[in-house]
Amino acid sequence: MDEADYAQNYETMDRAVALTNRNRRPGPGAPLVDGVPVCRECGDPIPPARLKAVPGCDLCRDCQAEADQG
């Protein structure tokens, strides 16, 4: 492996980490409906356990899984 290969591998790894962190970055939070945080995609309530585990999330677990896949 030469320096160019190392640089390319580093860039690939760095991009993957950045994309993962972007999806986990706390945003403005989920929209509220009657005081309950709801998923911005499907509108279902986001469970309190998810809100505690992923502060600032605005997608339910299923919609987040879809977003992560594609």
Short mmCIF file of all heavy atoms in Angstrom, two decimals:
data_model
loop_
_atom_site.label_atom_id
_atom_site.label_comp_id
_atom_site.label_asym_id
_atom_site.label_seq_id
_atom_site.Cartn_x
_atom_site.Cartn_y
_atom_site.Cartn_z
N MET A 1 0.84 -1.17 0.00
CA MET A 1 0.00 0.00 0.00
C MET A 1 0.89 1.24 0.00
O MET A 1 1.80 1.35 0.81
CB MET A 1 -0.87 -0.04 1.26
CG MET A 1 -2.25 0.51 1.06
SD MET A 1 -3.19 0.47 2.60
CE MET A 1 -4.62 -0.33 1.99
N ASP A 2 0.60 2.19 -0.87
CA ASP A 2 1.40 3.41 -0.91
C ASP A 2 0.63 4.56 -0.24
O ASP A 2 -0.47 4.38 0.27
CB ASP A 2 1.81 3.75 -2.34
CG ASP A 2 0.63 4.09 -3.24
OD1 ASP A 2 -0.52 4.09 -2.76
OD2 ASP A 2 0.86 4.38 -4.42
N GLU A 3 1.21 5.75 -0.27
CA GLU A 3 0.62 6.91 0.41
C GLU A 3 -0.74 7.28 -0.17
O GLU A 3 -1.63 7.68 0.57
CB GLU A 3 1.57 8.09 0.32
CG GLU A 3 2.81 7.94 1.18
CD GLU A 3 3.72 9.15 1.09
OE1 GLU A 3 3.25 10.24 0.73
OE2 GLU A 3 4.91 8.98 1.39
N ALA A 4 -0.91 7.14 -1.46
CA ALA A 4 -2.20 7.46 -2.08
C ALA A 4 -3.29 6.52 -1.58
O ALA A 4 -4.43 6.94 -1.33
CB ALA A 4 -2.10 7.41 -3.60
N ASP A 5 -2.96 5.24 -1.42
CA ASP A 5 -3.93 4.28 -0.90
C ASP A 5 -4.32 4.62 0.54
O ASP A 5 -5.49 4.56 0.91
CB ASP A 5 -3.38 2.86 -0.95
CG ASP A 5 -3.23 2.33 -2.37
OD1 ASP A 5 -4.05 2.73 -3.23
OD2 ASP A 5 -2.29 1.54 -2.59
N TYR A 6 -3.33 4.97 1.36
CA TYR A 6 -3.62 5.36 2.73
C TYR A 6 -4.51 6.60 2.77
O TYR A 6 -5.46 6.68 3.55
CB TYR A 6 -2.32 5.63 3.51
CG TYR A 6 -1.62 4.38 3.95
CD1 TYR A 6 -0.35 4.07 3.45
CD2 TYR A 6 -2.20 3.50 4.85
CE1 TYR A 6 0.31 2.93 3.84
CE2 TYR A 6 -1.55 2.35 5.25
CZ TYR A 6 -0.30 2.06 4.74
OH TYR A 6 0.35 0.93 5.13
N ALA A 7 -4.21 7.57 1.92
CA ALA A 7 -5.00 8.79 1.88
C ALA A 7 -6.45 8.49 1.46
O ALA A 7 -7.40 9.02 2.05
CB ALA A 7 -4.38 9.80 0.93
N GLN A 8 -6.62 7.64 0.48
CA GLN A 8 -7.96 7.29 0.03
C GLN A 8 -8.73 6.55 1.12
O GLN A 8 -9.90 6.82 1.35
CB GLN A 8 -7.90 6.45 -1.23
CG GLN A 8 -9.28 6.15 -1.80
CD GLN A 8 -9.20 5.41 -3.12
OE1 GLN A 8 -8.14 4.96 -3.53
NE2 GLN A 8 -10.33 5.28 -3.77
N ASN A 9 -8.07 5.62 1.80
CA ASN A 9 -8.72 4.90 2.89
C ASN A 9 -9.11 5.84 4.02
O ASN A 9 -10.20 5.72 4.60
CB ASN A 9 -7.82 3.78 3.43
CG ASN A 9 -7.71 2.62 2.47
OD1 ASN A 9 -8.52 2.46 1.58
ND2 ASN A 9 -6.68 1.81 2.66
N TYR A 10 -8.24 6.78 4.34
CA TYR A 10 -8.53 7.74 5.39
C TYR A 10 -9.73 8.61 5.00
O TYR A 10 -10.62 8.85 5.81
CB TYR A 10 -7.31 8.62 5.67
CG TYR A 10 -7.57 9.64 6.74
CD1 TYR A 10 -7.50 9.27 8.09
CD2 TYR A 10 -7.89 10.94 6.43
CE1 TYR A 10 -7.76 10.19 9.08
CE2 TYR A 10 -8.15 11.87 7.42
CZ TYR A 10 -8.09 11.49 8.75
OH TYR A 10 -8.34 12.41 9.72
N GLU A 11 -9.77 9.06 3.75
CA GLU A 11 -10.88 9.88 3.29
C GLU A 11 -12.19 9.12 3.35
O GLU A 11 -13.22 9.65 3.78
CB GLU A 11 -10.63 10.37 1.86
CG GLU A 11 -11.74 11.25 1.33
CD GLU A 11 -11.52 11.67 -0.10
OE1 GLU A 11 -10.51 11.28 -0.71
OE2 GLU A 11 -12.39 12.38 -0.63
N THR A 12 -12.19 7.86 2.95
CA THR A 12 -13.39 7.04 3.00
C THR A 12 -13.88 6.88 4.43
O THR A 12 -15.06 7.02 4.72
CB THR A 12 -13.12 5.66 2.36
OG1 THR A 12 -12.71 5.86 1.01
CG2 THR A 12 -14.35 4.78 2.40
N MET A 13 -12.95 6.59 5.33
CA MET A 13 -13.31 6.42 6.73
C MET A 13 -13.81 7.74 7.32
O MET A 13 -14.82 7.77 8.03
CB MET A 13 -12.09 5.93 7.52
CG MET A 13 -12.38 5.66 8.97
SD MET A 13 -10.96 4.99 9.87
CE MET A 13 -9.74 6.27 9.64
N ASP A 14 -13.15 8.84 7.01
CA ASP A 14 -13.55 10.14 7.52
C ASP A 14 -14.96 10.51 7.04
O ASP A 14 -15.77 11.04 7.80
CB ASP A 14 -12.53 11.19 7.08
CG ASP A 14 -12.74 12.53 7.76
OD1 ASP A 14 -12.87 12.55 9.00
OD2 ASP A 14 -12.78 13.55 7.05
N ARG A 15 -15.26 10.24 5.79
CA ARG A 15 -16.58 10.52 5.23
C ARG A 15 -17.65 9.70 5.95
O ARG A 15 -18.72 10.21 6.28
CB ARG A 15 -16.62 10.25 3.73
CG ARG A 15 -17.96 10.59 3.11
CD ARG A 15 -17.99 10.36 1.61
NE ARG A 15 -17.03 11.22 0.96
CZ ARG A 15 -16.06 10.79 0.16
NH1 ARG A 15 -15.92 9.51 -0.09
NH2 ARG A 15 -15.23 11.63 -0.41
N ALA A 16 -17.38 8.42 6.20
CA ALA A 16 -18.35 7.56 6.88
C ALA A 16 -18.63 8.07 8.29
O ALA A 16 -19.79 8.12 8.73
CB ALA A 16 -17.84 6.12 6.92
N VAL A 17 -17.59 8.48 8.99
CA VAL A 17 -17.76 9.01 10.34
C VAL A 17 -18.57 10.31 10.30
O VAL A 17 -19.47 10.53 11.11
CB VAL A 17 -16.40 9.22 11.03
CG1 VAL A 17 -16.54 10.02 12.32
CG2 VAL A 17 -15.73 7.90 11.29
N ALA A 18 -18.27 11.19 9.35
CA ALA A 18 -18.98 12.46 9.24
C ALA A 18 -20.47 12.23 8.96
O ALA A 18 -21.32 12.91 9.53
CB ALA A 18 -18.35 13.32 8.14
N LEU A 19 -20.78 11.29 8.08
CA LEU A 19 -22.18 11.01 7.79
C LEU A 19 -22.90 10.43 9.00
O LEU A 19 -24.05 10.78 9.27
CB LEU A 19 -22.30 10.06 6.59
CG LEU A 19 -21.92 10.66 5.25
CD1 LEU A 19 -21.88 9.58 4.17
CD2 LEU A 19 -22.91 11.75 4.86
N THR A 20 -22.24 9.57 9.73
CA THR A 20 -22.84 9.01 10.94
C THR A 20 -23.08 10.11 11.96
O THR A 20 -24.16 10.18 12.55
CB THR A 20 -21.92 7.92 11.54
OG1 THR A 20 -21.77 6.88 10.58
CG2 THR A 20 -22.50 7.36 12.82
N ASN A 21 -22.12 10.97 12.16
CA ASN A 21 -22.28 12.06 13.12
C ASN A 21 -23.34 13.05 12.69
O ASN A 21 -24.05 13.60 13.53
CB ASN A 21 -20.95 12.77 13.35
CG ASN A 21 -19.97 11.92 14.13
OD1 ASN A 21 -20.36 10.99 14.83
ND2 ASN A 21 -18.70 12.22 14.00
N ARG A 22 -23.47 13.28 11.40
CA ARG A 22 -24.50 14.20 10.92
C ARG A 22 -25.88 13.68 11.28
O ARG A 22 -26.75 14.44 11.68
CB ARG A 22 -24.41 14.36 9.41
CG ARG A 22 -25.45 15.34 8.87
CD ARG A 22 -25.54 15.28 7.38
NE ARG A 22 -26.10 13.97 7.05
CZ ARG A 22 -26.37 13.57 5.84
NH1 ARG A 22 -26.09 14.34 4.83
NH2 ARG A 22 -26.90 12.39 5.61
N ASN A 23 -26.08 12.37 11.17
CA ASN A 23 -27.38 11.80 11.50
C ASN A 23 -27.67 11.82 13.00
O ASN A 23 -28.81 11.74 13.40
CB ASN A 23 -27.47 10.36 10.98
CG ASN A 23 -27.52 10.30 9.48
OD1 ASN A 23 -27.96 11.25 8.84
ND2 ASN A 23 -27.07 9.20 8.90
N ARG A 24 -26.63 11.92 13.82
CA ARG A 24 -26.80 11.92 15.27
C ARG A 24 -26.77 13.31 15.87
O ARG A 24 -27.01 13.48 17.04
CB ARG A 24 -25.71 11.08 15.91
CG ARG A 24 -25.86 9.63 15.58
CD ARG A 24 -24.84 8.81 16.30
NE ARG A 24 -25.02 7.42 15.95
CZ ARG A 24 -24.13 6.49 16.13
NH1 ARG A 24 -22.99 6.78 16.70
NH2 ARG A 24 -24.36 5.25 15.77
N ARG A 25 -26.44 14.29 15.06
CA ARG A 25 -26.31 15.65 15.58
C ARG A 25 -27.67 16.15 16.07
O ARG A 25 -28.66 16.07 15.34
CB ARG A 25 -25.81 16.57 14.47
CG ARG A 25 -25.59 17.99 14.94
CD ARG A 25 -25.12 18.91 13.83
NE ARG A 25 -24.13 18.27 12.99
CZ ARG A 25 -24.05 18.47 11.69
NH1 ARG A 25 -24.88 19.27 11.08
NH2 ARG A 25 -23.13 17.85 10.97
N PRO A 26 -27.74 16.65 17.29
CA PRO A 26 -29.01 17.18 17.76
C PRO A 26 -29.46 18.34 16.91
O PRO A 26 -28.69 19.25 16.63
CB PRO A 26 -28.72 17.65 19.19
CG PRO A 26 -27.44 17.01 19.57
CD PRO A 26 -26.70 16.73 18.29
N GLY A 27 -30.67 18.28 16.46
CA GLY A 27 -31.23 19.34 15.65
C GLY A 27 -32.20 20.15 16.48
O GLY A 27 -32.16 20.13 17.71
N PRO A 28 -33.10 20.83 15.81
CA PRO A 28 -34.07 21.63 16.55
C PRO A 28 -35.06 20.76 17.33
O PRO A 28 -35.80 21.25 18.16
CB PRO A 28 -34.78 22.42 15.46
CG PRO A 28 -34.56 21.66 14.21
CD PRO A 28 -33.25 20.94 14.39
N GLY A 29 -35.03 19.47 17.09
CA GLY A 29 -35.94 18.57 17.79
C GLY A 29 -37.17 18.26 16.96
O GLY A 29 -37.41 18.82 15.90
N ALA A 30 -37.94 17.33 17.47
CA ALA A 30 -39.13 16.89 16.77
C ALA A 30 -40.24 17.93 16.92
O ALA A 30 -40.33 18.62 17.94
CB ALA A 30 -39.59 15.55 17.35
N PRO A 31 -41.09 18.03 15.90
CA PRO A 31 -42.24 18.93 16.04
C PRO A 31 -43.17 18.40 17.12
O PRO A 31 -43.23 17.20 17.39
CB PRO A 31 -42.89 18.88 14.65
CG PRO A 31 -42.33 17.69 13.97
CD PRO A 31 -41.03 17.36 14.62
N LEU A 32 -43.88 19.31 17.76
CA LEU A 32 -44.80 18.93 18.82
C LEU A 32 -46.24 19.00 18.33
O LEU A 32 -46.63 19.93 17.64
CB LEU A 32 -44.65 19.86 20.03
CG LEU A 32 -43.28 19.89 20.70
CD1 LEU A 32 -43.26 20.93 21.82
CD2 LEU A 32 -42.92 18.51 21.24
N VAL A 33 -47.01 17.99 18.68
CA VAL A 33 -48.45 17.98 18.42
C VAL A 33 -49.11 17.74 19.77
O VAL A 33 -48.91 16.69 20.39
CB VAL A 33 -48.84 16.88 17.40
CG1 VAL A 33 -50.34 16.79 17.27
CG2 VAL A 33 -48.18 17.14 16.06
N ASP A 34 -49.85 18.71 20.24
CA ASP A 34 -50.47 18.64 21.56
C ASP A 34 -49.43 18.36 22.64
O ASP A 34 -49.67 17.61 23.58
CB ASP A 34 -51.58 17.59 21.60
CG ASP A 34 -52.76 17.94 20.70
OD1 ASP A 34 -53.03 19.15 20.53
OD2 ASP A 34 -53.40 17.02 20.19
N GLY A 35 -48.23 18.93 22.48
CA GLY A 35 -47.18 18.79 23.46
C GLY A 35 -46.39 17.49 23.38
O GLY A 35 -45.51 17.24 24.18
N VAL A 36 -46.71 16.64 22.38
CA VAL A 36 -46.03 15.35 22.23
C VAL A 36 -45.11 15.42 21.02
O VAL A 36 -45.56 15.77 19.92
CB VAL A 36 -47.07 14.21 22.05
CG1 VAL A 36 -46.37 12.89 21.82
CG2 VAL A 36 -47.99 14.14 23.25
N PRO A 37 -43.82 15.09 21.17
CA PRO A 37 -42.91 15.08 20.01
C PRO A 37 -43.33 13.99 19.02
O PRO A 37 -43.59 12.86 19.40
CB PRO A 37 -41.55 14.75 20.61
CG PRO A 37 -41.69 14.88 22.08
CD PRO A 37 -43.13 14.74 22.40
N VAL A 38 -43.41 14.37 17.75
CA VAL A 38 -43.79 13.41 16.70
C VAL A 38 -42.72 13.37 15.62
O VAL A 38 -41.98 14.32 15.41
CB VAL A 38 -45.16 13.76 16.07
CG1 VAL A 38 -46.27 13.66 17.09
CG2 VAL A 38 -45.15 15.13 15.43
N CYS A 39 -42.66 12.25 14.93
CA CYS A 39 -41.72 12.06 13.83
C CYS A 39 -42.04 13.03 12.70
O CYS A 39 -43.19 13.16 12.30
CB CYS A 39 -41.81 10.61 13.36
SG CYS A 39 -40.78 10.25 11.92
N ARG A 40 -41.01 13.67 12.16
CA ARG A 40 -41.25 14.63 11.08
C ARG A 40 -41.57 13.95 9.75
O ARG A 40 -42.03 14.59 8.83
CB ARG A 40 -40.07 15.58 10.93
CG ARG A 40 -38.81 14.97 10.42
CD ARG A 40 -37.73 16.03 10.21
NE ARG A 40 -36.44 15.44 10.11
CZ ARG A 40 -35.92 14.97 8.97
NH1 ARG A 40 -36.60 15.04 7.86
NH2 ARG A 40 -34.72 14.42 8.97
N GLU A 41 -41.35 12.63 9.66
CA GLU A 41 -41.66 11.90 8.43
C GLU A 41 -43.06 11.29 8.47
O GLU A 41 -43.86 11.52 7.59
CB GLU A 41 -40.63 10.80 8.17
CG GLU A 41 -39.29 11.31 7.70
CD GLU A 41 -39.35 11.95 6.33
OE1 GLU A 41 -40.03 11.41 5.44
OE2 GLU A 41 -38.71 13.00 6.15
N CYS A 42 -43.32 10.48 9.49
CA CYS A 42 -44.58 9.73 9.52
C CYS A 42 -45.62 10.33 10.45
O CYS A 42 -46.81 10.00 10.36
CB CYS A 42 -44.34 8.26 9.88
SG CYS A 42 -43.77 8.00 11.57
N GLY A 43 -45.21 11.20 11.38
CA GLY A 43 -46.14 11.83 12.29
C GLY A 43 -46.49 11.02 13.52
O GLY A 43 -47.29 11.46 14.34
N ASP A 44 -45.90 9.83 13.66
CA ASP A 44 -46.15 9.02 14.86
C ASP A 44 -45.41 9.61 16.05
O ASP A 44 -44.33 10.20 15.89
CB ASP A 44 -45.68 7.58 14.66
CG ASP A 44 -46.57 6.79 13.70
OD1 ASP A 44 -47.69 7.25 13.41
OD2 ASP A 44 -46.13 5.72 13.24
N PRO A 45 -45.96 9.44 17.25
CA PRO A 45 -45.25 9.93 18.45
C PRO A 45 -43.89 9.23 18.59
O PRO A 45 -43.75 8.05 18.29
CB PRO A 45 -46.17 9.53 19.60
CG PRO A 45 -47.52 9.34 18.98
CD PRO A 45 -47.26 8.87 17.57
N ILE A 46 -42.91 10.00 19.05
CA ILE A 46 -41.58 9.43 19.30
C ILE A 46 -41.54 9.00 20.76
O ILE A 46 -41.80 9.80 21.65
CB ILE A 46 -40.47 10.46 19.00
CG1 ILE A 46 -40.53 10.87 17.53
CG2 ILE A 46 -39.10 9.89 19.35
CD1 ILE A 46 -39.54 11.94 17.14
N PRO A 47 -41.23 7.72 21.01
CA PRO A 47 -41.23 7.22 22.39
C PRO A 47 -40.24 7.98 23.27
O PRO A 47 -39.15 8.35 22.83
CB PRO A 47 -40.80 5.76 22.25
CG PRO A 47 -41.09 5.40 20.83
CD PRO A 47 -40.91 6.67 20.04
N PRO A 48 -40.60 8.19 24.54
CA PRO A 48 -39.70 8.90 25.47
C PRO A 48 -38.33 8.24 25.58
O PRO A 48 -37.32 8.94 25.73
CB PRO A 48 -40.46 8.85 26.80
CG PRO A 48 -41.89 8.70 26.43
CD PRO A 48 -41.90 7.90 25.16
N ALA A 49 -38.27 6.91 25.50
CA ALA A 49 -36.98 6.22 25.60
C ALA A 49 -36.07 6.63 24.45
O ALA A 49 -34.86 6.80 24.63
CB ALA A 49 -37.18 4.71 25.62
N ARG A 50 -36.61 6.80 23.24
CA ARG A 50 -35.80 7.22 22.09
C ARG A 50 -35.34 8.66 22.27
O ARG A 50 -34.19 8.99 21.99
CB ARG A 50 -36.57 7.08 20.78
CG ARG A 50 -35.79 7.62 19.58
CD ARG A 50 -36.27 7.05 18.28
NE ARG A 50 -35.66 7.70 17.14
CZ ARG A 50 -34.41 7.50 16.72
NH1 ARG A 50 -33.64 6.66 17.35
NH2 ARG A 50 -33.94 8.13 15.67
N LEU A 51 -36.23 9.51 22.75
CA LEU A 51 -35.85 10.90 22.98
C LEU A 51 -34.75 11.01 24.02
O LEU A 51 -33.87 11.87 23.90
CB LEU A 51 -37.07 11.71 23.42
CG LEU A 51 -38.16 11.88 22.36
CD1 LEU A 51 -39.41 12.44 23.00
CD2 LEU A 51 -37.68 12.76 21.22
N LYS A 52 -34.77 10.14 25.02
CA LYS A 52 -33.73 10.15 26.03
C LYS A 52 -32.41 9.60 25.46
O LYS A 52 -31.34 10.14 25.73
CB LYS A 52 -34.16 9.30 27.23
CG LYS A 52 -33.18 9.34 28.37
CD LYS A 52 -33.69 8.54 29.55
CE LYS A 52 -32.68 8.56 30.68
NZ LYS A 52 -33.12 7.77 31.82
N ALA A 53 -32.51 8.55 24.65
CA ALA A 53 -31.31 7.92 24.09
C ALA A 53 -30.66 8.78 23.01
O ALA A 53 -29.45 8.79 22.85
CB ALA A 53 -31.65 6.55 23.52
N VAL A 54 -31.49 9.50 22.23
CA VAL A 54 -31.00 10.32 21.12
C VAL A 54 -31.59 11.72 21.25
O VAL A 54 -32.56 12.07 20.58
CB VAL A 54 -31.39 9.70 19.75
CG1 VAL A 54 -30.73 10.47 18.62
CG2 VAL A 54 -31.04 8.24 19.68
N PRO A 55 -31.02 12.54 22.15
CA PRO A 55 -31.56 13.89 22.36
C PRO A 55 -31.57 14.69 21.06
O PRO A 55 -30.63 14.63 20.27
CB PRO A 55 -30.59 14.51 23.36
CG PRO A 55 -29.92 13.36 24.02
CD PRO A 55 -29.87 12.26 23.00
N GLY A 56 -32.66 15.38 20.82
CA GLY A 56 -32.78 16.21 19.63
C GLY A 56 -33.23 15.47 18.39
O GLY A 56 -33.32 16.06 17.32
N CYS A 57 -33.53 14.17 18.52
CA CYS A 57 -33.95 13.42 17.33
C CYS A 57 -35.31 13.93 16.85
O CYS A 57 -36.11 14.44 17.63
CB CYS A 57 -34.00 11.92 17.61
SG CYS A 57 -35.31 11.42 18.73
N ASP A 58 -35.52 13.82 15.55
CA ASP A 58 -36.80 14.25 15.00
C ASP A 58 -37.41 13.18 14.09
O ASP A 58 -38.35 13.45 13.36
CB ASP A 58 -36.66 15.58 14.27
CG ASP A 58 -35.65 15.55 13.15
OD1 ASP A 58 -34.98 14.51 12.99
OD2 ASP A 58 -35.53 16.56 12.44
N LEU A 59 -36.85 11.97 14.16
CA LEU A 59 -37.39 10.84 13.41
C LEU A 59 -37.61 9.68 14.38
O LEU A 59 -36.83 9.47 15.30
CB LEU A 59 -36.41 10.38 12.33
CG LEU A 59 -36.13 11.34 11.19
CD1 LEU A 59 -35.04 10.77 10.29
CD2 LEU A 59 -37.38 11.61 10.37
N CYS A 60 -38.68 8.91 14.13
CA CYS A 60 -38.88 7.69 14.91
C CYS A 60 -37.84 6.66 14.48
O CYS A 60 -37.11 6.87 13.51
CB CYS A 60 -40.30 7.16 14.71
SG CYS A 60 -40.63 6.53 13.06
N ARG A 61 -37.77 5.58 15.21
CA ARG A 61 -36.74 4.57 14.94
C ARG A 61 -36.87 4.01 13.52
O ARG A 61 -35.87 3.85 12.81
CB ARG A 61 -36.85 3.45 15.96
CG ARG A 61 -35.72 2.45 15.85
CD ARG A 61 -35.95 1.31 16.76
NE ARG A 61 -37.18 0.65 16.30
CZ ARG A 61 -37.56 -0.56 16.63
NH1 ARG A 61 -36.87 -1.24 17.48
NH2 ARG A 61 -38.66 -1.08 16.15
N ASP A 62 -38.10 3.70 13.09
CA ASP A 62 -38.29 3.12 11.75
C ASP A 62 -37.89 4.10 10.65
O ASP A 62 -37.22 3.71 9.68
CB ASP A 62 -39.73 2.66 11.56
CG ASP A 62 -40.10 1.49 12.46
OD1 ASP A 62 -39.18 0.77 12.90
OD2 ASP A 62 -41.31 1.31 12.73
N CYS A 63 -38.31 5.36 10.77
CA CYS A 63 -37.96 6.34 9.74
C CYS A 63 -36.46 6.63 9.75
O CYS A 63 -35.88 6.84 8.68
CB CYS A 63 -38.77 7.63 9.95
SG CYS A 63 -40.53 7.44 9.56
N GLN A 64 -35.83 6.60 10.92
CA GLN A 64 -34.38 6.80 10.98
C GLN A 64 -33.66 5.65 10.29
O GLN A 64 -32.68 5.86 9.58
CB GLN A 64 -33.91 6.94 12.42
CG GLN A 64 -32.43 7.23 12.53
CD GLN A 64 -32.07 8.57 11.97
OE1 GLN A 64 -32.59 9.59 12.44
NE2 GLN A 64 -31.17 8.64 11.01
N ALA A 65 -34.16 4.42 10.48
CA ALA A 65 -33.55 3.27 9.83
C ALA A 65 -33.65 3.39 8.32
O ALA A 65 -32.70 3.10 7.60
CB ALA A 65 -34.23 1.97 10.32
N GLU A 66 -34.79 3.85 7.82
CA GLU A 66 -34.95 4.07 6.36
C GLU A 66 -33.99 5.14 5.88
O GLU A 66 -33.37 5.00 4.82
CB GLU A 66 -36.39 4.46 6.04
CG GLU A 66 -37.35 3.32 5.99
CD GLU A 66 -38.73 3.77 5.54
OE1 GLU A 66 -38.83 4.65 4.65
OE2 GLU A 66 -39.71 3.23 6.07
N ALA A 67 -33.86 6.22 6.63
CA ALA A 67 -32.96 7.31 6.23
C ALA A 67 -31.51 6.83 6.21
O ALA A 67 -30.73 7.23 5.33
CB ALA A 67 -33.12 8.49 7.19
N ASP A 68 -31.14 5.97 7.16
CA ASP A 68 -29.77 5.48 7.21
C ASP A 68 -29.46 4.54 6.05
O ASP A 68 -28.32 4.45 5.61
CB ASP A 68 -29.52 4.73 8.53
CG ASP A 68 -29.48 5.65 9.73
OD1 ASP A 68 -29.34 6.89 9.53
OD2 ASP A 68 -29.60 5.16 10.86
N GLN A 69 -30.47 3.85 5.54
CA GLN A 69 -30.27 2.90 4.46
C GLN A 69 -30.14 3.58 3.10
O GLN A 69 -29.52 3.05 2.20
CB GLN A 69 -31.40 1.88 4.40
CG GLN A 69 -31.35 0.88 5.52
CD GLN A 69 -32.50 -0.11 5.45
OE1 GLN A 69 -33.36 0.00 4.60
NE2 GLN A 69 -32.50 -1.05 6.36
N GLY A 70 -30.75 4.71 2.96
CA GLY A 70 -30.68 5.26 1.62
C GLY A 70 -30.92 6.67 1.52
O GLY A 70 -30.87 7.36 0.63
#
